[in-house]
Amino acid sequence: MPPLQINKLFDNDLLRNTKKNCTFVNNASTCSLFLRTSYFVMVTLQHISKTLGGKRILDDVSLEIGAHEVVGLLGPNGAGKSTLMKILTGLWQADEGQVEVCGVDMRKSPHAVAPLIGYLPENNPLYYEMYVREYLLFMLSVSGVKMSQTERKKKVEEVIERVGLTPEVTKKIGNLSKGYKQRVGLAQTLLSSPKLFILDEPTTGLDPNQLEDIRAVIRDLSTDATVILSTHILQEVKEMCDRVVIIDRGSIRSDVKDIEGIDLPQLFHESTIVVNV
């Protein structure tokens, strides 16, 4: 198997933290990272715990996720899925434990990790009065990614085409359907060419046609990145994911790396049922 190549701008912290198992080829401002193993750990969570309002939301969570995996986070309301995602993005810090993305400690080097992550929150906040292309150009300009104006325009056109926004690009975001608004959110996550996508309930509220379109976009993301998505819909995990992690009461109850042939409803029930003794 040829080595996985990640083309990215890395700072010194990232280079130091990944030099143990990688070879680097420097070319002016670009560092090509060649991973010499067939399985590369993109995300590592070690003994993560988080308490909010006196309640233990996450309790000693440990997990490894490899490059190009599409992982579905399942769990009842209040299980800790969104909290875990916010910790993975760096929006929140864990009270205990360590998070690493691409071998870099998020707490020690947050600025090295941030460009590697594309995050779509559940409520998909957008500027409804802006036009699609205008919005994406604006978000790229304030993202901190160093590009010329010509490069920014080229990148925006690339992501518009990739997520299927071309027919709606001249419209204001507020006039788009729910499905196309989700595509705008996904397009925004693509702007920095991240290697880890974190998608919180990306298919909520979509009709069947919109669902299939968004599924195709999400599946396409895994060709050059890792995808972690949360959902309440078991069928969505079947359609999009190759691994499922079930969280309940702040802990991982099941972690199935090959879900083909798995009875997900039964697994979910057995993993989340509360037995009174």
Side-chain angles (χ1 to χ4, degrees), residues 10-167:
F10 292 106
D11 68 7
N12 290 332
D13 288 325
L14 188 53
L15 297 179
R16 284 194 296 271
N17 281 280
T18 52
K19 66 183 180 181
K20 294 179 182 178
N21 58 357
C22 303
T23 300
F24 296 95
V25 181
N26 289 297
N27 174 7
S29 62
T30 302
C31 173
S32 294
L33 170 60
F34 296 89
L35 308 172
R36 298 299 181 182
T37 57
S38 59
Y39 178 83
F40 176 68
V41 177
M42 178 62 68
V43 177
T44 303
L45 301 173
Q46 297 181 7
H47 307 294
I48 297 298
S49 294
K50 182 70 175 179
T51 300
L52 294 170
K55 181 181 178 181
R56 193 80 153 177
I57 305 299
L58 294 174
D59 187 16
D60 196 29
V61 172
S62 294
L63 186 66
E64 283 189 350
I65 298 173
H68 301 285
E69 283 195 275
V70 182
V71 180
L73 287 182
L74 283 174
N77 288 330
K81 302 186 301 297
S82 292
T83 299
L84 182 59
M85 288 187 148
K86 287 173 182 172
I87 289 172
L88 278 169
T89 63
L91 292 175
W92 289 359
Q93 283 196 353
D95 299 331
E96 303 170 26
Q98 184 178 29
V99 180
E100 292 185 356
V101 175
C102 203
V104 183
D105 189 319
M106 182 172 286
R107 192 184 297 269
K108 293 180 180 178
S109 305
H111 296 297
V113 174
L116 298 173
I117 298 173
Y119 176 47
L120 180 66
E122 182 178 2
N123 59 357
N124 190 16
L126 301 168
Y127 293 133
Y128 282 10
E129 293 304 312
M130 297 184 77
Y131 293 91
V132 172
R133 183 182 284 112
E134 174 192 21
Y135 171 77
L136 293 173
L137 283 168
F138 169 72
M139 296 307 296
L140 183 54
S141 70
V142 300
S143 68
V145 177
K146 294 182 179 180
M147 288 184 179
S148 67
Q149 185 175 2
T150 300
E151 289 171 330
R152 284 199 296 269
K153 289 181 178 179
K154 181 180 178 181
K155 183 65 178 180
V156 165
E157 295 307 315
E158 287 175 357
V159 300
I160 285 172
E161 182 177 358
R162 184 171 182 181
V163 303
L165 272 171
T166 303

Side-chain angles (χ1 to χ4, degrees), residues 223-243:
T223 59
D224 52 12
T226 298
V227 180
I228 303 173
L229 64 92
S230 72
T231 180
H232 291 95
I233 307 170
L234 300 182
Q235 186 61 30
E236 292 305 289
V237 174
K238 276 283 192 182
E239 292 288 341
M240 293 186 289
C241 304
D242 44 47
R243 178 179 176 186

Side-chain angles (χ1 to χ4, degrees), residues 250-270:
S251 298
I252 293 178
R253 305 295 174 176
S254 296
D255 182 0
V256 181
K257 294 182 172 62
D258 183 359
I259 64 173
E260 186 174 355
I262 295 294
D263 187 337
L264 272 182
Q266 181 179 349
L267 178 66
F268 184 83
H269 177 72
E270 292 175 349

